[in-house]
Amino acid sequence: MTDEKYMLRAIELAKLGEGRTNPNPLVGAVIVKNGRIIGEGYHMVYGDLHAERNAIKNCNEDMKGATIYVTLEPCCHYGKQPPCTDAIIEKGFSKVVVGSRDPNPLVSGKGVKKLRENGIEVIEDFLKDECDKINNVFFHFITTKTPYVVMKYAMTMDGKIATSTGKSKWISGEKSRENVQKTRNRLFGIMAGIGTVLTDNPLLTCRIENGRNPVRIICDSSLRIPIESNILNTAKDIPTIIAYCHDNFEKEKKIKACGAKTIKVSEKDGHIDLKELIKILGEEKIDSILLEGGGELNFSALKEGIVQEVQIYIAPKIFGGKAKSPVGGIGIDEVKDAFGFKLTDIERFDEDVLLKFEAGGKS
């Protein structure tokens, strides 16, 4: 095997931790000696062993003189686990191949520096782009302290998210919906507006085997959520946050009795101040959010600049008529003021097409 294949294997391992490590990064590690893999591991669960220490634990051979391929710079500080650099030094590794640099101020070059000071050869930025890609959530959260927000919606070829009578199940196909469940598992939270709750009465859970339910965040400025809703009926079992602006002490008391947490935020332009809410959610260690809102919430999120990625599932259907579009609000007046994004990926799920965009493209 080549160096590239060893690192690609480490990336493959890192992805096995999706949905379990937040707000920590996804990390994989592969130990190689004499052209043979002798140990491998990944960061499995937040608070548990890091990838390097898992790989070392899973290796039953002498590691002196071996090379370890790791997707992210090894940590050099004490957190929930001891420094991985110490374990690498103690086991006598001669070389460390690193994919991504860690922007965490507690690490950020210090891990590499410590390894080199102890006579270990370090190769940095190996398959950097591929390694960076798996940790866009972590990199955003560790540098901004706010969640990485992914706006997701399914629409027809003519840009409709429902028929003229309001029916929307199902626009996208089964394979697309399965992929959405994987995204729900990967991201820490899921956000919807009260309109979605009143119209669809969703559960907003992760429906895959051994999946992890995201924290549900409902934007409900006047606390209109029905006590008998699916969201509140399951709030004792699934972490749920109701964000609001206008006091209604009796309703808030009933919501809390259902097991949900309430967060009061300021009002802005007749809606919840999303920037303030996002900051609070970051303080709650929610590192990522799947935004499954209606048109009003989607427009507000774009206007407030909290969206880092947009995922659009396009189904081979045309509805026509005056049906809902994925982004509502008051809209913009000038073409030059459009919200700009950059196309990053295209995938196909049977007859549906998924387009992925990241913020920062030209308008």
Side-chain angles (χ1 to χ4, degrees):
M1 292 178 71
T2 63
D3 289 345
E4 183 174 325
K5 288 184 178 179
Y6 293 135
M7 186 62 84
L8 289 174
R9 173 57 181 162
I11 291 172
E12 185 181 341
L13 288 166
K15 290 179 180 178
L16 296 176
E18 286 183 344
R20 307 291 178 185
T21 67
N22 312 65
N24 277 359
L26 297 170
V27 187
V30 172
I31 300 171
V32 176
K33 188 173 182 179
N34 298 325
R36 185 170 58 89
I37 294 177
I38 62 172
E40 54 183 35
Y42 65 98
H43 185 32
M44 300 171 68
V45 180
Y46 174 70
D48 205 346
L49 290 177
H50 291 182
E52 299 93 321
R53 286 185 176 270
N54 260 328
I56 289 170
K57 184 185 74 172
N58 295 333
C59 180
N60 295 319
E61 300 185 30
D62 181 15
M63 286 165 265
K64 188 172 183 180
T67 297
I68 185 167
Y69 295 79
V70 59
T71 57
L72 184 70
E73 178 182 0
C75 66
C76 55
H77 66 287
Y78 282 88
K80 290 185 178 295
Q81 294 292 332
C84 289
T85 50
D86 289 1
I88 292 171
I89 294 165
E90 288 165 8
K91 293 298 180 179
F93 283 89
S94 63
K95 184 177 179 181
V96 178
V97 181
V98 176
S100 298
R101 302 189 184 208
D102 193 338
N104 185 345
L106 295 174
V107 184
S108 192
K110 300 182 183 72
V112 167
K113 182 173 181 287
K114 184 172 183 180
L115 293 172
R116 285 175 173 157
E117 287 176 346
N118 281 271
I120 297 173
E121 179 186 359
V122 180
I123 305 297
E124 295 183 89
D125 301 329
F126 190 80
L127 294 189
K128 182 180 185 301
D129 290 344
E130 291 85 343
C131 291
D132 285 354
K133 188 176 181 180
I134 65 174
N135 274 316
N136 50 4
V137 166
F138 172 72
F139 292 153
H140 175 83
F141 182 70
I142 201 69
T143 54
T144 68
K145 307 302 181 188
T146 59
Y148 183 92
V149 178
V150 177
M151 177 189 292
K152 184 279 299 179
Y153 54 82
M155 69 180 191
T156 60
M157 292 164 60
D158 56 336
K160 308 298 185 183
I161 60 171
T163 66
S164 57
T165 58
K167 293 182 174 62
S168 60
K169 292 186 178 180
W170 293 102
I171 290 176
S172 58
E174 185 177 348
K175 293 288 186 184
S176 293
R177 299 196 298 274
E178 287 176 0
N179 194 61
V180 170
Q181 297 305 314
K182 292 178 182 178
T183 305
R184 287 186 179 186
N185 176 67
R186 180 171 63 88
L187 302 180
F188 200 101
I190 184 168
M191 181 183 289
I194 184 59
T196 298
V197 175
L198 295 175
T199 302
D200 300 333
N201 193 23
L203 274 169
L204 301 179
T205 53
C206 176
R207 297 186 294 275
I208 59 175
E209 187 176 357
N210 299 319
R212 175 195 53 81
N213 287 321
V215 177
R216 302 175 301 187
I217 304 139
I218 307 301
C219 295
D220 182 9
S221 56
S222 298
L223 293 179
R224 292 189 291 150
I225 187 169
I227 296 300
E228 66 276 10
S229 65
N230 285 331
I231 294 291
L232 291 184
N233 275 339
T234 55
K236 282 186 169 68
D237 300 316
I238 303 169
T240 303
I241 296 171
I242 311 297
Y244 72 100
C245 305
H246 308 129
D247 288 326
N248 182 335
F249 298 113
E250 285 302 313
K251 185 65 174 286
E252 184 182 2
K253 186 177 178 181
K254 291 178 181 178
I255 289 171
K256 288 181 176 178
C258 291
K261 180 176 182 176
T262 60
I263 294 177
K264 184 176 181 180
V265 296
S266 304
E267 183 179 352
K268 185 174 183 180
D269 299 329
H271 302 285
I272 280 174
D273 187 331
L274 289 176
K275 275 190 177 177
E276 181 181 326
L277 176 59
I278 285 295
K279 185 178 182 227
I280 294 169
L281 295 175
E283 292 168 354
E284 296 278 333
K285 303 300 182 187
I286 295 175
D287 69 348
S288 50
I289 293 171
L290 179 61
L291 181 60
E292 292 200 18
E296 294 296 318
L297 182 57
N298 285 347
F299 180 78
S300 295
L302 290 168
K303 183 181 176 184
E304 293 303 316
I306 67 167
V307 178
Q308 281 71 54
E309 181 180 331
V310 178
Q311 296 185 3
I312 307 171
Y313 292 86
I314 302 177
K317 303 170 184 175
I318 294 177
F319 287 170
K322 295 182 179 180
K324 292 180 180 179
S325 64
V327 180
I330 61 174
I332 60 167
D333 295 327
E334 302 289 340
V335 173
K336 65 179 177 63
D337 296 326
F339 307 110
F341 288 84
K342 179 175 67 175
L343 179 65
T344 58
D345 200 6
I346 302 175
E347 296 181 58
R348 182 169 177 172
F349 297 94
D350 286 340
E351 296 303 307
D352 297 341
V353 175
L354 169 60
L355 304 179
K356 292 184 180 180
F357 300 84
E358 66 179 28
K362 294 181 180 179
S363 60

